[in-house]
C-alpha cells in the first residue's frame, strides 16, 4: 500500500516543472510527510489528554494544522473539496503564510531539543519548490492516506524513506554523501556493541543512518518504560551542517520512531575541540565524515593539528568527544575515513596517526574494497578505537566480497558476516592479521594495509625504466625482422 503511494507521489512530482531530481523529490516529500506526521501526533496527544481529563494545546495554530489547510474533511470523513485549497490559491498559502509561520518556531529562546524547535529549523531551511498547485494538491492527497499511528506503519514508511535516500545516493550530484551502505553501518554497530544507557553521537550525521540503525539495534519488545524513555530522549545525538541532509535526518529518525530527534543544524567543525568538556562527551561515536572539502582557515584554528582535509578535522573532534571512561566501558568509536590516511606522509597525517595511537586503542582496521561507496571514487577504511589507553597492536581485516561492487551489486550483510565473527576474537585468517605497534616506523607511523598472506605485488617501475624497456624490445624486434629478411 505505502509503496504504491510513494510511487504515485514520484509520478505526480515528475509532472511539476519546479522539481527535477531525486534530491528535489526527497526534500519536498520530507516536509509534507513531516506535517502529516505532526498532525497525527497532535491528534494522538489530544486524544490521550481527553482520556486523562486534562487539557492539551496543539503546537500549531488551527489555521496551519494539516487537517485544516491540507486535508479538511466533510461529515463523512471524505476530503472537503470546497474547503481544500488547490491551484494558485494553494501555492500562495504555502509560500505566503504556511512557511513564514512555521519558521517562527526556532526562536533564539526556544529549547533546541523540542519538537517545536525542530519545526522552525526544518522550515527555515526549506522552500516549497512546487510550481503547480495542482501537482501539490495531488501529492497532498496521497500523503494524507499515510497513517503514522502504528509501529508497523512507521516501520514500512521508514524502509521506503531509506530507499528514497539510497536512490538520492545513486542519482549523482551530491546525493552520495547522504548515504552510507547500511550493511557496513550494521557491522560497525555490532563491533561497537552499544548498550542502553550509553549515548551515541554522530557529528556529521547526514540522513542519520548511523543513529537510526543504532536505534534498531537497541530497541526490543520487552523494554521497560524507563528504557524506552532513555532511548527516546537521552541516547542519540547528531549534528549536520547541510540543510537538506539535516531535514532528511530528522525525518528519518521520526519515521524510525523517535519523536523529537536530538539532531542540531550546525557546523560541527566551528566548535573549538580544546573547549570540549566532560559533559559534552559521549560513550560512542559512529560516523562517516565528509572527505576532501577544505574548511576556512579560521575553522582550522579550532584544532591542534591544522589540515585542509575535512575528515582529519572531524577525526580530531571525534577523539575528543569520546569519554575516556563511560558507564560500561571506555568510550568507543567507529569512523569511516579514506585509506590514504593510513599512509600519507604530510605532517597533518603523521601527527594525527600519532595522536590516535597515543590517546586511543586503535584495535581494528577494516579495509573496504573499491565500490563500497557508490560514486565516491576513493577507497576507504573503518577505524575502530577505544578512548583512554594507547594502542599496542592493531587487527586488520581486508574485506573481499569476491565480486566487483557497484550500483547493481552493492555490499550486503553476508559480505561482512566473517569480519564481525573474526573481529570478536581478532583471529588471523587469509584476510586478517595483527600488527604490533613496536614494529612501526616511529617517524612516519605508517599504518598501511599490507596483508602478509598475499604475495607482494611487483614494485611499480619509474617511467624512464618503462621507456628503456620499450626501446630495448623495439631494437630486438628490428634485429629479428632483419634476420627474417635475410632468409627470404
Amino acid at each position: 500500500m505505502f509503496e504504491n503511494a510513494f510511487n504515485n507521489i514520484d509520478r505526480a512530482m515528475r509532472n511539476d516543472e519546479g522539481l527535477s531530481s531525486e534530491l528535489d523529490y526527497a526534500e519536498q516529500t520530507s516536509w509534507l510527510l513531516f506535517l502529516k506526521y505532526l498532525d497525527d501526533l497532535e491528534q494522538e496527544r489530544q486524544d490521550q489528554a481527553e482520556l486523562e481529563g486534562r487539557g492539551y494545546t496543539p503546537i500549531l495554530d488551527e489555521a496551519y494544522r494539516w487537517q485544516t489547510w491540507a486535508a479538511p474533511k466533510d461529515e463523512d470523513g471524505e476530503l472537503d473539496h470546497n474547503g481544500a485549497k488547490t491551484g494558485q490559491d494553494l501555492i500562495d498559502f504555502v509560500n505566503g503564510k504556511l512557511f513564514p509561520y512555521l519558521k517562527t518556531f526556532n526562536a533564539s529562546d526556544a529549547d533546541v531539543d523540542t519538537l517545536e524547535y525542530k519545526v522552525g529549523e526544518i522550515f527555515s531551511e526549506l522552500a516549497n519548490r512546487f510550481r503547480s498547485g495542482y501537482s501539490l494538491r495531488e501529492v497532498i492527497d496521497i500523503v494524507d492516506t499515510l497513517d503514522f499511528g502504528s509501529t508497523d506503519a512507521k516501520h514500512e514508511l521508514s524502509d521506503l524513506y531509506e530507499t528514497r535516500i539510497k536512490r538520492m545516493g545513486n542519482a549523482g550530484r551530491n546525493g552520495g554523501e547522504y548515504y552510507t551502505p547500511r550493511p557496513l553501518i550494521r557491522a560497525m554497530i555490532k563491533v561497537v556493541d552499544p548498550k542502553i544507557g550509553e549515548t551515541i553521537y554522530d557529528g556529521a550525521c547526514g540522513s542519520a543512518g548511523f543513529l537510526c540503525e543504532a536505534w534498531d539495534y537497541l530497541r526490543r519488545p520487552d523494554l521497560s518504560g524507563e528504557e524506552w524513555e532513555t532511548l527516546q530522549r537521552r541516547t542519540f545525538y547528531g549534528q549536520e551542517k547541510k540543510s537538506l541532509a539535516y531535514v532528511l535526518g530528522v525525518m528519518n529518525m521520526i519515521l524510525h520512531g523517535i519523536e523529537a530527534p536530538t539532531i542540531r543544524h550546525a557546523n560541527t567543525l566551528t566548535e573549538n575541540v580544546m573547549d570540549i568538556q566532560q559533559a559534552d562527551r559521549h560513550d560512542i561515536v559512529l560516523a562517516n565524515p565528509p572527505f576532501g572539502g577544505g574548511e576556512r582557515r579560521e575553522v582550522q584554528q579550532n584544532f591542534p593539528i591544522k589540515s585542509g582535509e575535512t575528515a582529519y578535522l572531524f577525526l580530531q573532534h571525534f577523539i575528543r568527544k569520546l569519554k575516556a571512561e563511560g558507564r560500561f566501558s571506555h568510550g568507543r568509536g567507529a569512523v569511516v575515513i579514506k585509506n590514504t590516511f593510513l599512509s600519507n606522509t604530510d605532517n597533518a597525517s603523521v601527527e594525527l596517526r600519532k595522536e590516535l595511537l597515543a590517546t586511543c586503542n586503535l584495535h581494528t582496521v577494516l579495509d573496504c574494497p573499491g565500490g563500497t561507496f557508490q560514486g565516491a571514487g576513493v577507497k576507504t577504511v573503518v577505524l575502530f578505537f577505544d578512548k583512554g589507553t594507547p594502542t599496542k597492536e592493531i587487527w586488520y581485516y581486508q574485506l573481499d566480497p569476491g565480486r566487483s561492487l557497484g550500483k547493481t551489486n552493492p555490499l550486503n550483510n553476508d559480505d561482512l558476516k566473517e569480519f564481525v565473527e573474526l573481529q570478536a576474537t581478532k583471529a588471523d585468517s587469509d584476510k586478517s592479521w595483527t600488527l604490533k605497534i613496536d614494529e612501526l616506523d616511529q617517524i612516519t607511523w605508517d599504518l598501511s594495509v599490507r596483508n602478509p598472506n598475499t604475495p607482494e605485488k611487483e614494485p611499480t617501475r619509474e617511467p624512464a625504466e618503462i621507456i628503456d624497456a620499450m626501446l630495448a624490445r623495439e631494437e630486438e624486434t628490428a634485429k629479428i625482422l632483419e634476420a627474417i629478411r635475410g632468409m627470404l
Side-chain angles (χ1 to χ4, degrees):
M1 168 187 165
F2 292 143
E3 186 172 5
N4 287 338
F6 270 62
N7 288 338
N8 290 334
I9 288 172
D10 284 348
R11 195 173 298 115
M13 286 184 169
R14 290 190 195 102
N15 293 329
D16 193 282
E17 294 180 358
L19 311 176
S20 59
S21 71
E22 290 286 353
L23 274 73
D24 292 334
Y25 299 163
E27 178 187 64
Q28 297 304 294
T29 303
S30 295
W31 72 260
L32 288 165
L33 284 173
F34 180 80
L35 290 180
K36 176 60 166 66
Y37 159 80
L38 183 60
D39 195 67
D40 286 359
L41 180 65
E42 294 259 66
Q43 191 60 56
E44 182 182 324
R45 288 178 174 179
Q46 191 163 333
D47 292 344
Q48 185 65 33
E50 289 178 4
L51 284 173
E52 297 173 0
R54 54 182 175 82
Y56 175 74
T57 302
I59 294 173
L60 303 186
D61 292 343
E62 183 67 27
Y64 301 99
R65 295 186 66 178
W66 178 271
Q67 58 190 267
T68 302
W69 70 269
K73 301 295 193 298
D74 59 24
E75 294 179 355
D76 298 323
E78 300 296 326
L79 181 69
D80 180 0
H81 293 282
N82 293 324
K85 295 178 173 60
T86 192
Q88 192 58 44
D89 287 346
L90 179 57
I91 296 295
D92 291 344
F93 172 79
V94 169
N95 292 343
K97 294 184 178 180
L98 179 65
F99 270 64
Y101 167 74
L102 296 174
K103 289 177 183 179
T104 64
F105 278 80
N106 65 338
S108 58
D109 59 345
D111 183 347
V112 296
D113 293 330
T114 61
L115 187 56
E116 287 87 341
Y117 190 85
K118 295 292 182 292
V119 171
E121 278 282 276
I122 288 173
F123 288 92
S124 293
E125 301 302 332
L126 291 180
N128 168 45
R129 299 189 187 279
F130 283 91
R131 292 184 186 174
S132 167
Y134 298 102
S135 296
L136 178 54
R137 165 49 56 195
E138 187 176 351
V139 174
I140 286 173
D141 290 346
I142 298 168
V143 171
D144 190 54
T145 65
L146 305 179
D147 178 18
F148 293 87
S150 71
T151 301
D152 288 344
K154 283 182 182 176
H155 182 72
E156 185 176 349
L157 283 167
S158 69
D159 283 347
L160 290 167
Y161 196 71
E162 284 275 354
T163 300
R164 182 172 289 270
I165 295 171
K166 184 176 182 179
R167 289 214 313 261
M168 283 175 54
N170 294 339
R173 277 175 61 190
N174 299 321
E177 67 191 65
Y178 303 131
Y179 191 80
T180 303
R182 295 320 186 237
L184 180 61
I185 292 178
R186 293 181 196 115
M188 292 167 66
I189 292 171
K190 286 176 183 176
V191 170
V192 172
D193 190 25
K195 305 286 192 300
I196 295 176
E198 293 184 311
T199 59
I200 302 171
Y201 171 71
D202 183 354
C205 66
S207 58
F210 284 97
L211 300 178
C212 289
E213 288 293 340
W215 157 267
D216 287 339
Y217 181 83
L218 287 169
R219 65 175 178 171
R220 57 180 192 271
D222 62 342
L223 288 175
S224 67
E226 182 179 353
E227 288 174 326
W228 179 264
E229 184 67 15
T230 295
L231 288 181
Q232 280 282 342
R233 307 289 178 188
R234 298 183 296 276
T235 299
F236 306 103
Y237 299 85
Q239 294 192 149
E240 174 53 46
K241 174 182 177 180
K242 296 194 174 181
S243 301
L244 175 56
Y246 168 77
V247 173
L248 293 173
V250 170
M251 196 66 234
N252 203 13
M253 292 191 75
I254 284 173
L255 289 174
H256 275 78
I258 300 173
E259 287 186 3
T262 312
I263 298 178
R264 298 183 181 181
H265 185 215
N267 182 356
T268 298
L269 301 182
T270 58
E271 180 180 5
N272 191 317
V273 295
M274 306 311 292
D275 294 337
I276 295 174
Q277 304 297 313
Q278 181 62 18
D280 305 321
R281 296 189 170 100
H282 297 280
D283 298 286
I284 291 169
V285 165
L286 295 165
N288 175 17
F291 308 143
E295 289 289 344
R296 301 184 308 276
R297 193 176 293 265
E298 61 266 28
V299 172
Q300 294 185 38
Q301 297 308 309
N302 294 321
F303 300 87
I305 301 173
K306 312 294 186 289
S307 174
E309 169 57 69
T310 305
Y312 287 12
L313 303 181
F314 269 108
L315 185 55
Q316 293 179 69
H317 173 83
F318 293 143
I319 291 171
R320 287 164 178 78
K321 283 292 266 191
L322 278 176
K323 296 177 181 177
E325 289 289 343
R327 178 175 175 182
F328 299 106
S329 65
H330 291 285
R332 311 185 296 287
V335 178
V336 179
I337 199 165
K338 284 193 296 187
N339 71 339
T340 51
F341 164 72
L342 301 177
S343 58
N344 281 349
T345 56
D346 59 283
N347 289 338
S349 298
V350 173
E351 286 302 311
L352 187 50
R353 288 197 296 271
K354 186 176 178 180
E355 178 182 317
L356 178 61
L357 296 172
T359 61
C360 300
N361 175 22
L362 175 63
H363 56 81
T364 299
V365 172
L366 170 62
D367 180 45
C368 299
T372 299
F373 291 85
Q374 295 168 25
V378 296
K379 281 195 87 241
T380 57
V381 293
V382 183
L383 308 176
F384 295 86
F385 51 92
D386 297 344
K387 178 74 174 290
T389 57
T391 305
K392 294 183 178 179
E393 58 182 35
I394 306 170
W395 184 75
Y396 287 79
Y397 183 89
Q398 199 163 36
L399 182 61
D400 179 11
R403 66 186 191 283
S404 296
L405 299 178
K407 180 178 178 180
T408 59
N409 199 7
L411 199 68
N412 61 51
N413 291 325
D414 288 339
D415 293 330
L416 288 144
K417 185 177 180 182
E418 182 185 73
F419 162 70
V420 174
E421 291 173 351
L422 293 179
Q423 197 280 333
T425 58
K426 300 182 177 61
D428 288 348
S429 70
D430 290 344
K431 300 177 184 177
S432 59
W433 65 97
T434 300
L435 172 69
K436 296 186 182 301
I437 294 304
D438 56 18
E439 298 173 359
L440 288 179
D441 183 320
Q442 305 293 300
I443 296 175
T444 64
W445 299 99
D446 189 335
L447 300 174
S448 298
V449 177
R450 297 187 183 92
N451 188 341
N453 305 308
T454 302
E456 285 281 342
K457 295 180 180 179
E458 290 188 15
T460 303
R461 293 182 296 170
E462 293 294 326
E465 293 178 49
I466 296 173
I467 292 171
D468 289 343
M470 292 173 66
L471 290 172
R473 281 198 299 271
E474 186 175 334
E475 183 178 349
E476 184 179 352
T477 301
K479 290 179 180 178
I480 293 171
L481 290 172
E482 282 298 325
I484 294 172
R485 188 202 298 270
M487 288 188 252
L488 295 177

